[in-house]
Amino acid sequence: MATRQALIFDVDGTLAETERDGHRPAFNAAFRDCGLAWHWDEQRYGALLAITGGKERIRHYATHHAPAIAARPDFDALVGQLHRIKTAHYLRLVDQGQLPLRPGIARLIGAARQAGLRLAIATTTTPENVDALLRANLGPDAPGWFDVIGAGDIVPAKKPAPDIYQWVLDRLALPPSACLAIEDSEIGLKSALAAGLRCLVTVSEYTRGQDFRGAWQLLQGLAGSSLAELGLRSSAGDSD
Ligand code: XBP
Ligand code: MG
């Protein structure tokens, strides 16, 4: 709709396929660095994505699969250390250019900027990860294109809670009806819907087959989608 003024993007799975070859190997490298014989293969990691947030994911895994470690008095410190090391590994992969944007994302962001739409981010991942991903793929100025970047622990309750979207909406000073959320997962969709947002889902490699009831549009990707096709402008002219 012509009245929609802002796009709010999820990051992992939406902007880029970061999970299987980005976050997952970074977690595994951190486990190795800390002398833990843990390894998250692709299938296990897919199941663990039900737990949003890296620290929360480590904590959940340890509680269920390594209870002796979870019971250690220094467990909280260990989770923090593992996550700091994991983030360093992840940032290295991003800086090496190993995590490109999904097809159509750079063009959509460019078209939205040209059309005067405001941009924002609502994600569960660590803020440094977002900054690095945008810089590595879109250039050093790219984080500044986003009026609001809501990420990580800025809200205590992560997706599927609506809190991160509400935090972003507050800072945009816009009602949900003026924005479109773009998500790749059922958890993200739930979060956006609970915040009262219209949500477009662009399915990613780990989210195929999830329940996307309530999505405003369900797409396999954004390659070739114009702002007009996304209901954001009344005339075409921005597609590839
Ligand atoms: C994806 C996530 C994150 C990342 C890990 O969130 O669930 O937890 O897998 O990131 P979204 P951290 O799709 O909302 O971007 O380790 O930095 O928490
Ligand atoms: Mg996602």
Side-chain angles (χ1 to χ4, degrees):
M1 294 301 114
T3 52
R4 229 153 281 275
Q5 297 169 40
L7 293 182
I8 311 176
F9 288 92
D10 169 52
V11 173
D12 297 297
T14 298
L15 293 185
E17 291 283 12
T18 53
E19 295 291 6
R20 190 189 61 199
D21 300 325
H23 291 294
R24 188 183 67 88
F27 281 112
N28 285 331
F31 300 152
R32 265 195 314 275
D33 289 353
C34 291
L36 294 169
W38 299 353
H39 180 82
W40 291 350
D41 64 21
E42 290 179 22
Q43 198 183 354
R44 181 182 294 280
Y45 190 68
L48 286 168
L49 286 174
I51 313 299
T52 52
K55 292 186 289 294
E56 292 82 351
R57 196 167 294 146
I58 295 169
R59 187 176 289 282
H60 171 92
Y61 178 81
T63 304
H64 290 86
H65 300 279
I69 291 177
R72 273 166 42 174
D74 65 341
F75 180 58
D76 284 350
L78 176 64
V79 171
Q81 184 193 13
L82 283 167
H83 194 253
R84 274 191 301 280
I85 296 171
K86 175 260 168 176
T87 298
H89 282 292
Y90 179 82
L91 293 174
R92 182 176 42 76
L93 292 172
V94 173
D95 289 345
Q96 288 171 351
Q98 296 196 30
L99 295 169
L101 299 183
R102 289 182 66 185
I105 290 292
R107 183 199 44 75
L108 179 61
I109 288 173
R113 293 182 70 220
Q114 253 188 335
L117 287 165
R118 297 171 70 194
L119 300 176
I121 297 267
T123 176
T124 297
T125 202
T126 300
E128 295 92 309
N129 298 349
V130 182
D131 195 70
L133 189 76
L134 294 175
R135 284 174 195 276
N137 286 290
L138 296 168
D141 298 338
W145 302 345
F146 292 79
D147 285 358
V148 180
I149 296 184
D153 298 329
I154 195 86
V155 292
K158 293 185 175 165
K159 298 174 186 177
D163 302 37
I164 192 66
Y165 277 106
Q166 285 163 346
W167 190 92
V168 169
L169 287 167
D170 282 352
R171 274 145 195 87
L172 284 171
L174 288 173
S177 58
C179 306
L180 175 70
I182 304 184
E183 277 283 355
D184 71 302
S185 69
E186 181 181 346
I187 287 174
L189 170 65
K190 280 190 175 144
S191 171
L193 291 179
L197 284 152
R198 179 177 285 204
C199 184
L200 181 155
V201 171
T202 171
V203 182
S204 65
E205 49 190 26
Y206 267 125
T207 66
R208 274 185 202 104
Q210 292 186 351
D211 181 357
F212 294 120
R213 269 174 293 182
W216 170 67
Q217 278 196 50
L218 180 57
L219 300 174
Q220 297 308 307
L222 289 165
S225 298
S226 67
L227 291 183
E229 283 162 349
L230 299 180
L232 292 162
R233 281 295 176 266
S234 49
S235 61
D238 62 310
S239 61
D240 289 330

